[in-house]
């Protein structure tokens, strides 16, 4: 009965328009062409470049379909790959830990300040990403205010370093992609009817149980979207490692960047890029499957 | 003490939120403070207070042309991505058609691909085709990676529309085109505006993809990055903070006008 | 393409309308004439096909088979915006981005009418909300939004006004008030109103004619009094008010009445108030028509003896009894609290009596519970 009612209620007068089969394809055509030409075919070019080998001249490469390039790249860059995903996962978890209470407070505790606070979450975006990263480097630097304070409190010894460290890289990653985490979290928390939480309290659940059994499950779509939107750019980033790191915090992004723009070893750069892309895709798809969200877009 | 504990427990989440915002704004505050630094060559050490950087933000060579490029690229890329993305969003939200899965995948993939790979692969193709990277290759790249975000934003808005509103319009003698113009479009407009804003901010702040496809063109993030090692002028801070304040002002003003209109009407 | 939005006038005729979704018939070979100027209600439980019927009249859905005419104009395949039909939507569907004035003016502007301001002002006067013209819909209360939805539709003077559960979102008190107002507006403007509802009280208060729908068909059509007093099917008897339906056999016919045997006790029913096709009959009597008395009393009219009260609910104006009969069936009795006699108690032995004119007979092969277990408050 319900299914039938929904069917009859959901039909649209634009039905007749819908029957014009060509219409959706006309709407899709320009955007899809753009993505096919400037996204899909570059990715295919990338794959084709990845199996090339150095030719006679300098900077010349010939197609030999050498798939062993992939094995070589993985063996050579094993450490960087592992480090990249390790950093990205830690940064994502850190961003989640910071963003969840923030999004929760905005959704439920901010009253009429809600919109202003939301704007404040996004606004730092506009003060250039690189400027903010540089600012962090200066703030955490040996002669910066954070270091001096901690040193004065004897919390760190003068020869520890806050910048040029894995710590700085991971916090930098978490910081830079924070809005990507906070906004989807807020969107899904905001949709929760506060009465469901009251009902849970009414049914003898304490605050923590209510959170675990009601709030968190209902906000899962936001958690999934937020962690993905943070993890993906974090895993492909090289700017944070460049500005806040040291040679032993090199991420795969730095390697790819250097291979492209400095060493100009295009096949290696392409190979590494494609491995990174596939690895991220696999992680993302497994994660989506596990978390039970099938709506991708 | 007990009273304090109770208060603390009740406001824990608020305290946490304040800490979160503090964390978000520390670099902004730092950037703001150092925009008044009377710097020499590099803006790393505090040398004294001055307004000079604010009164003459274009003093360092190339900085204002770079900003100009960023704004131009941002506006063109936003217009393109918003148009293409909105069309796709309407197709996905309003029509049943074959190949929906392929379209969804093609929208999803650019968002799941690191910018580095997007930028690098596009550069590889441009080089293969013998294209010289520059202003327009940046625009092309920005439209490409912004489309998906526009689609997602606009599609959500269309999906939340009550179909009865369009039915009511048709019931009240509006044909398909009029229904779209008078009812559908105005109601979807906030979603389109949101998508456009998102596209502009992504484009304006993009460094990685731009870095690959810029050739000799310099945008503001590129300027900041290349000068970071040699000594960044405080004018960069001035521009960064100005953009931040401008964005804050625009959005808050929009909110305020919206609320005002609601009350007075 | 012809435009009937202003020209067509006359009775609404549905001829053999069928609407199929997959292998489910939402509306099944429906033929119906709604006279011009009447207030007509389509009444039925959720899923009975009444909303689908309305949407086909509005042009928001296409019939699988059959035709729809207004007067002599066929509108079956016409676009919604070309029909002389306007709809008051469930939840009103007011345009949130337009002012009340612009909402009401919407249809006039689309048709290129000249004196928009004058007409909108007039209709806002009619619904008594001229002071809200500049507001946005979200700033109005539910009742006000409802009136604006009506104003937005009737300002176009359509041949037909369709109302889809128009009062469903209002609370009981406001609903009563709006029922009276809608009825008044209908008399005032003289348009044909077709009203879809699952609320039998709403239909009975407002409509001149009610069609009771069930499973895509019309069970019975008539005036509210006719439907209530002479139900033709168990569904109608149970869906409109409440009925006691008892299985029995016609054992004799003399003059203009049947004698019916109900588990050994004899009662009478008027011949022209019975639709039983053979001796098998469902004998019906409304709860409020029954008198309830202790066994010792003597009675006129029809009597059923040997009842035991199993439940008593005192609800102010009346007392409702559940009486278990010797054959195990429980009957409902509503007794007005107007005789000063204290209500009977649970466990009392009673007999039930009524005037024979009040009883009716239905086809004995029908399911006696049809229409009684559907939840009339469920939204479609």
């Amino acid at each position: 009965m319900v299914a039938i009612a929904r069917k009859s209620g959901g039909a649209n007068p634009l039905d007749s328009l819908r029957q014009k089969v060509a219409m959706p394809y006309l709407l899709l055509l320009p955007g899809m062409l753009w993505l096919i030409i400037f996204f899909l075919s570059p990715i295919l070019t990338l794959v084709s470049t990845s199996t090339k080998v150095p030719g006679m001249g300098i900077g010349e490469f010939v197609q030999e379909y050498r798939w062993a390039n992939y094995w070589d790249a993985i063996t050579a860059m094993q450490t960087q790959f592992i480090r990249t995903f390790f950093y990205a996962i830690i940064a994502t978890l850190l961003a989640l830990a910071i963003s969840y209470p923030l999004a929760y407070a905005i959704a439920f505790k901010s009253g009429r300040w809600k919109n202003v606070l939301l704007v404040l979450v996004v606004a730092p975006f506009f003060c250039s990403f690189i400027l903010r990263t540089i600012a962090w480097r200066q703030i955490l630097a040996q002669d910066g205010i954070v270091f001096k304070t901690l040193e004065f409190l004897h919390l760190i010894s003068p020869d520890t370093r806050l910048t040029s460290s894995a710590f700085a890289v991971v916090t930098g990653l978490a910081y830079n992609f924070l809005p990507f985490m906070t906004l989807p979290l807020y969107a899904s928390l905001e949709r929760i009817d506060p009465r469901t939480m009251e009902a849970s309290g009414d049914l003898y659940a304490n605050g923590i149980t209510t959170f675990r059994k009601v709030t968190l499950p209902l906000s899962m779509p936001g958690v999934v979207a937020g962690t993905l939107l943070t993890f993906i750019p974090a895993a492909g980033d090289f700017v944070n490692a460049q500005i806040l790191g040291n040679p032993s915090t090199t991420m795969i992004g730095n390697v790819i960047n250097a291979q492209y723009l400095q060493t100009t070893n295009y096949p290696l750069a392409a190979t590494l890029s494609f491995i990174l892309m596939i690895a991220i895709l696999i992680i993302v798809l497994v994660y989506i499957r596990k978390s039970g969200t099938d709506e991708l877009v | 003490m007990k009273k304090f504990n109770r208060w603390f427990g009740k406001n824990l989440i608020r305290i946490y939120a304040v800490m979160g915002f503090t964390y978000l704004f520390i670099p902004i505050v730092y950037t703001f403070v150092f925009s008044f630094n009377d710097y020499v060559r590099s803006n790393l050490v505090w040398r004294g207070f001055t307004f000079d950087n604010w009164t003459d933000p274009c003093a360092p060579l190339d900085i204002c042309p770079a900003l100009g490029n960023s704004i131009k690229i941002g506006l063109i890329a936003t217009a393109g991505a918003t148009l293409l993305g909105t069309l796709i969003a309407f197709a996905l939200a309003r029509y049943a058609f074959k190949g929906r899965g392929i379209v969804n995948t093609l929208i999803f993939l650019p968002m799941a691909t690191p910018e580095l790979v997007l930028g690098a692969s596009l550069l590889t193709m441009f080089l293969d085709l013998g294209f010289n990277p520059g202003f327009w290759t940046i625009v092309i790249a920005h439209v490409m990676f912004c489309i998906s975000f526009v689609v997602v934003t606009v599609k959500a808005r269309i999906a939340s529309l009550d179909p009865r509103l369009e039915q009511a319009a048709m019931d009240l003698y509006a044909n398909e085109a009029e229904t779209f113009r008078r009812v559908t479009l105005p109601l979807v407009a906030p979603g389109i505006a949101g998508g456009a804003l998102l596209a502009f901010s992504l484009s304006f702040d993009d460094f990685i993809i731009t870095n690959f496809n810029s050739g000799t063109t310099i945008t503001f993030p590129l300027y900041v990055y290349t000068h970071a090692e040699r000594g960044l002028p405080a004018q960069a801070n001035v521009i960064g903070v100005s953009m931040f304040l401008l964005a804050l002002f625009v959005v808050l003003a929009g909110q305020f006008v919206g609320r005002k209109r609601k009350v007075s009407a | 393409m012809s435009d009937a939005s202003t020209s067509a006038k006359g009775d609404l005729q549905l001829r053999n309308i069928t609407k199929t979704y997959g292998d489910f018939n939402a509306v099944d070979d429906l033929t119906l004439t709604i006279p011009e100027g009447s207030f007509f209600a389509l009444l039925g439980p959720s899923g009975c096909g009444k909303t689908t019927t309305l949407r086909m009249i509005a042009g928001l859905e296409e019939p699988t088979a059959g035709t729809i005419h207004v007067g002599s104009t066929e509108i079956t395949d016409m676009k919604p915006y070309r029909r002389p039909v306007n709809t008051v939507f469930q939840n009103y569907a007011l345009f949130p981005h337009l002012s009340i004035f612009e909402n009401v003016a919407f249809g006039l502007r689309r048709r290129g009418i000249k004196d928009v301001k004058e007409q909108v002002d007039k209709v806002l006067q009619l619904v008594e909300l001229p002071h809200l013209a500049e507001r946005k819909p979200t700033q109005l209360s539910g009742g006000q939004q409802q009136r604006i939805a009506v104003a937005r539709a009737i300002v176009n003077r359509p041949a037909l006004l369709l109302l889809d559960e128009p009062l469903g979102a209002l609370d009981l008190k406001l609903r009563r008030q709006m029922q009276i107002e809608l009825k008044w507006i209908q008399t005032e403007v003289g348009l044909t109103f077709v009203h879809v509802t699952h609320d039998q009280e709403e239909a009975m208060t407002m409509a001149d004619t009610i069609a009771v729908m069930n499973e895509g068909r019309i069970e019975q059509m008539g005036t509210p009094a006719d439907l209530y007093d002479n139900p033709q099917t168990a569904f109608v008897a149970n869906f409109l008010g409440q009925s006691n339906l008892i299985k029995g056999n016609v054992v004799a016919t003399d003059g203009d009445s049947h004698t019916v045997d109900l588990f050994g006790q004899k009662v009478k029913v008027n011949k022209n108030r019975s639709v039983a096709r053979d001796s098998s009959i469902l004998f019906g009597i409304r709860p409020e028509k029954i008198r309830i008395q202790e066994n010792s009393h003597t009675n006129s009219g029809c009597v059923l003896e040997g009842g035991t009260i199993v439940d008593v609910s005192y609800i102010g104006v009346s007392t409702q009894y559940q009486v278990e009969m010797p054959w195990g069936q429980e009957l409902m009795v509503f007794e007005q609290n107007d005789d000063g006699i204290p209500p009977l108690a649970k466990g009392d032995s009673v007999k039930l009596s009524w005037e024979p004119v009040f009883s009716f007979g239905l086809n004995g092969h029908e399911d006696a519970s049809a229409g009684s277990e559907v939840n009339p408050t469920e939204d479609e």
Side-chain angles (χ1 to χ4, degrees):
Chain A
M1 200 83 92
V2 173
I4 294 149
R6 193 181 302 140
K7 237 177 178 177
S8 66
N12 201 292
L14 301 176
D15 269 344
S16 51
L17 218 149
R18 199 171 285 169
Q19 282 155 9
K20 289 179 188 159
V21 182
M23 193 66 184
Y25 296 109
L26 284 176
L27 292 173
L28 290 169
L29 189 71
M32 284 298 133
L33 271 183
W34 199 281
L35 289 180
I36 288 167
I37 298 173
F38 299 115
F39 168 70
L40 206 58
S41 53
I43 296 290
L44 296 178
T45 316
L46 185 78
V47 179
S48 118
T49 307
S50 71
T51 54
K52 287 184 181 174
V53 294
M56 286 308 185
I58 295 165
E60 200 183 289
F61 300 98
V62 284
Q63 182 60 276
E64 294 260 325
Y65 299 102
R66 189 173 179 276
W67 295 99
N69 277 355
Y70 281 84
W71 183 242
D72 294 352
I74 290 176
T75 353
M77 298 299 163
Q78 205 178 358
T79 340
Q80 282 87 345
F81 268 114
I82 291 172
R83 186 185 294 138
T84 297
F85 288 112
F86 180 67
Y87 284 3
I89 288 170
I90 301 289
T92 304
L93 293 178
L94 193 61
L96 180 64
I98 296 167
S99 288
Y100 202 102
L102 200 61
Y104 187 93
I106 298 173
F108 298 120
K109 305 277 180 188
S110 59
R112 61 205 186 84
W113 294 100
K114 194 182 270 185
N115 287 327
V116 176
L117 293 182
L118 266 181
V119 173
L120 286 181
V121 170
V122 198
F125 248 129
F126 287 85
C127 180
S128 174
F129 155 58
I130 294 173
L131 262 183
R132 284 178 295 141
T133 312
I134 293 171
W136 271 122
R137 187 181 65 185
Q138 296 314 119
I139 293 164
L140 297 175
Q142 216 75 356
D143 48 1
I145 183 161
V146 176
F147 194 89
K148 291 280 183 217
T149 316
L150 292 175
E151 196 184 9
F152 178 75
L153 295 170
H154 294 285
L155 289 172
I156 48 173
S157 67
D159 47 308
T160 5
R161 300 198 54 138
L162 290 177
T163 47
S164 307
S165 65
F167 165 78
V169 175
V170 172
T171 48
L173 288 171
Y175 176 83
N176 270 315
F177 304 116
L178 213 55
F180 286 122
M181 181 67 90
T182 313
L183 290 183
L185 276 177
Y186 164 80
S188 69
L189 281 168
E190 202 250 350
R191 247 176 272 158
I192 299 176
D193 186 343
R195 281 173 297 188
T196 56
M197 292 186 247
E198 287 165 22
S200 160
D202 182 57
L203 296 166
Y204 316 108
N206 62 24
I208 292 163
T209 318
T210 298
F211 177 76
R212 234 163 31 87
K213 297 283 181 191
V214 179
T215 318
L216 189 60
L218 287 174
S219 65
M220 263 332 261
V223 175
V224 173
T227 45
L228 286 181
L229 286 175
T230 310
F231 175 78
I232 296 166
D237 185 75
F238 66 87
V239 176
N240 282 285
Q242 181 101 355
I243 297 176
L244 297 169
N246 62 40
S248 68
T249 62
T250 306
M251 291 170 74
I252 201 67
N254 301 72
V255 179
I256 296 175
N257 192 45
Q259 292 300 334
Y260 258 110
L261 302 176
Q262 280 137 41
T263 326
T264 58
N265 184 350
Y266 295 126
L268 178 59
T271 309
L272 290 171
S273 298
F274 196 62
I275 296 172
L276 177 65
M277 181 185 175
I278 295 300
I280 289 179
L281 263 184
I282 290 171
I283 293 173
V284 165
L285 290 177
V286 168
Y287 180 61
I288 289 175
R289 206 38 65 75
K290 285 261 181 206
S291 60
T293 327
D294 41 33
E295 187 77 347
L296 290 182
V297 182
Chain B
M1 193 65 206
K2 212 171 174 187
K3 217 171 173 183
F4 173 77
N5 277 343
R6 169 101 52 83
W7 174 88
F8 187 75
K10 233 177 140 182
N11 288 287
L12 185 62
I13 195 88
R14 285 197 181 87
I15 294 163
Y16 203 109
V18 169
M19 284 165 58
F21 274 111
T22 312
Y23 175 63
L24 261 174
F25 279 88
I26 286 174
I28 309 287
V29 172
Y30 173 89
T31 308
F32 183 67
V33 170
F34 272 74
S35 73
F36 295 103
N37 188 15
D38 192 8
Y39 75 102
V40 182
R41 273 201 54 229
S42 81
N43 189 13
L44 298 176
V45 192
W46 184 256
R47 290 176 185 278
F49 186 89
T50 177
F51 276 118
D52 291 355
N53 310 320
W54 282 84
T55 49
D56 194 7
C58 288
L61 194 67
D62 290 341
I63 194 165
C64 281
L67 178 66
N69 277 339
S70 274
I71 293 173
K72 266 186 270 176
I73 291 167
L75 291 177
I76 301 171
T78 300
T82 306
L83 177 68
L84 299 182
T86 303
L87 295 180
I88 295 175
F90 269 102
L92 284 172
R94 277 297 154 81
Y95 295 92
F97 58 89
K98 277 201 181 119
R100 172 179 290 270
I102 296 170
V103 172
N104 274 331
T105 311
L106 208 50
I107 301 294
F108 171 72
L109 274 179
M111 292 194 293
T113 308
E115 287 189 35
L116 185 72
V117 179
L118 293 177
S121 63
L122 200 54
L123 175 66
T124 313
M125 188 181 80
F126 283 142
L127 292 177
D128 272 13
L129 297 176
F131 261 45
N132 265 338
F135 184 89
W136 289 104
T137 53
I138 303 177
V139 171
I140 286 173
H142 284 201
V143 171
M144 180 266 291
F145 82 86
C146 289
I147 287 179
S148 302
F149 289 94
V150 175
V151 172
V152 174
T153 319
V154 177
K155 202 181 114 189
R157 178 77 192 183
I158 301 173
S160 71
L161 264 194
D162 183 349
R164 276 179 294 213
L165 291 171
E166 287 163 298
Q167 296 174 4
M170 295 199 120
D171 186 65
L172 294 163
Y173 313 105
N175 61 30
E176 286 88 351
E178 283 173 319
T179 301
F180 183 77
R181 197 160 65 88
R182 305 262 173 201
V183 175
T184 317
L185 203 55
L187 290 174
V188 177
I192 299 176
L197 197 67
L198 183 62
F200 184 81
S201 54
L202 288 172
S203 161
F204 185 80
D205 199 26
D206 179 73
F207 167 70
I208 296 178
I209 296 179
T210 314
N211 189 34
F212 277 99
N213 295 286
S214 58
T216 53
T217 308
I218 295 198
T219 65
F220 183 61
L222 285 185
Y223 178 91
V224 175
Y225 184 78
T226 48
H227 287 74
E229 299 311 317
R230 292 184 260 148
L232 187 64
Q235 276 84 350
N237 295 31
V238 171
I239 291 173
V241 172
S242 304
M243 289 310 294
F244 163 76
L245 292 175
L246 188 69
L248 208 61
F249 174 77
V250 166
V251 183
L252 289 180
Q255 293 265 333
F256 184 72
V257 169
R259 195 174 299 171
K260 187 104 189 203
R261 195 182 292 159
K262 238 180 187 173
V263 173
S264 68
Chain C
M1 194 180 267
S2 71
D3 190 330
S5 59
T6 48
S7 58
K9 284 270 178 283
D11 299 351
L12 172 73
Q13 294 162 62
L14 308 184
R15 291 180 200 152
N16 307 99
I17 289 287
T18 297
K19 177 70 186 178
T20 317
Y21 296 108
D23 51 3
F24 172 77
N25 282 350
V27 175
D28 192 0
D29 196 24
L30 186 83
T31 297
L32 179 66
T33 298
I34 298 175
E36 191 177 354
S38 66
F39 199 133
F40 190 93
L42 276 172
L43 173 67
S46 89
C48 73
K50 58 187 193 300
T51 294
T52 308
T53 307
L54 193 82
R55 292 172 62 85
M56 287 190 286
I57 300 171
L60 301 175
E61 211 114 7
E62 273 176 53
T64 314
T67 60
I68 304 170
H69 289 79
V70 173
S72 54
T73 317
E74 179 172 349
I75 62 164
T76 319
D77 298 319
M78 226 176 246
K79 300 267 187 191
Y81 49 84
R82 297 193 189 278
R83 299 187 183 214
V85 174
N86 288 115
T87 310
V88 176
F89 285 81
Q90 199 175 3
N91 302 90
Y92 324 129
L94 297 179
F95 303 124
H97 60 301
L98 298 179
S99 69
I100 294 306
F101 184 93
E102 285 305 322
N103 260 282
V104 177
F106 194 92
L108 299 175
R109 293 209 196 279
R110 299 290 86 71
R111 287 187 298 147
I113 304 282
K114 289 280 172 311
D115 53 341
V116 172
K117 171 126 183 59
E118 198 180 311
Q119 294 206 35
V120 173
D121 286 345
K122 231 166 82 187
V123 77
L124 285 176
Q125 293 286 346
L126 181 76
V127 297
E128 295 171 338
L129 294 173
H131 55 290
L132 298 180
E134 294 314 312
R135 298 259 179 100
K136 287 279 173 71
T138 47
Q139 298 169 294
L140 268 57
S141 71
Q144 290 170 336
Q145 291 187 30
Q146 212 281 326
R147 275 187 253 183
I148 296 304
V150 173
R152 183 176 73 171
I154 59 176
V155 74
N156 300 296
R157 303 237 142 225
L160 266 179
L161 183 75
L162 309 179
L163 301 115
D164 185 6
E165 302 273 7
L167 308 178
L170 304 179
D171 64 53
L172 187 64
K173 219 168 166 184
L174 203 52
R175 197 150 57 201
R176 293 262 159 78
Q177 187 194 330
M178 285 308 300
Q179 286 171 8
I180 296 163
E181 253 175 66
L182 274 178
K183 179 77 196 161
W184 177 80
I185 288 172
Q186 197 261 339
T187 348
E188 198 72 1
V189 297
L191 302 174
T192 313
F193 277 35
V194 181
H195 173 206
V196 153
T197 181
H198 61 258
D199 182 337
Q200 46 117 349
E201 187 199 308
E202 194 173 298
M204 293 179 81
T205 316
M206 294 196 281
D208 319 319
T209 312
I210 299 175
V212 180
M213 278 190 81
N214 181 32
E215 292 178 353
R217 294 167 171 279
I218 290 183
E219 287 268 332
Q220 191 179 346
M221 196 165 99
T223 64
D226 187 34
L227 288 177
Y228 190 81
D229 291 335
N230 299 308
Q232 310 277 297
T233 67
F235 182 87
V236 175
N238 289 322
F239 192 74
L240 245 79
Q242 282 171 291
S243 293
N244 295 305
L245 298 178
I246 309 160
K247 272 205 170 300
N249 288 301
V250 178
V251 289
T253 304
D254 52 275
D256 53 0
S257 67
H258 294 306
T259 302
V260 180
D261 175 275
L262 301 178
F263 300 94
Q265 305 193 45
K266 300 280 191 297
V267 293
K268 286 197 188 291
V269 61
N270 215 317
K271 226 164 70 181
N272 54 26
R273 284 174 57 81
S274 171
V275 291
R277 286 183 220 146
D278 47 35
S279 68
S280 175
I281 191 169
L282 262 184
F283 178 87
I285 180 76
R286 296 277 185 188
E288 75 280 3
K289 302 288 200 289
I290 303 177
R291 291 185 300 264
I292 185 165
Q293 280 153 331
E294 283 172 85
N295 260 335
S296 53
H297 278 258
T298 51
N299 293 98
S300 59
C302 296
V303 182
L304 282 177
E305 293 183 326
T308 311
I309 295 178
V310 292
D311 193 48
V312 183
S313 332
Y314 181 81
I315 54 162
V317 290
S318 65
T319 305
Q320 304 193 353
Y321 298 97
Q322 296 260 42
V323 179
E324 188 176 316
M325 300 313 287
W327 58 90
Q329 186 179 3
E330 283 180 12
L331 300 184
M332 281 284 255
V333 180
F334 301 161
E335 193 77 339
Q336 289 286 315
N337 294 325
D338 57 359
D339 47 12
I341 303 167
L344 298 163
K346 195 169 161 180
D348 288 354
S349 293
V350 291
K351 61 179 166 191
L352 310 177
S353 64
W354 58 86
E355 292 306 319
V357 288
F358 291 134
S359 55
F360 53 87
L362 304 175
N363 179 356
H365 304 286
E366 264 201 283
D367 172 12
S369 65
S372 59
E373 66 282 283
V374 289
N375 179 3
T377 57
E378 190 190 336
D379 262 3
E380 196 161 350

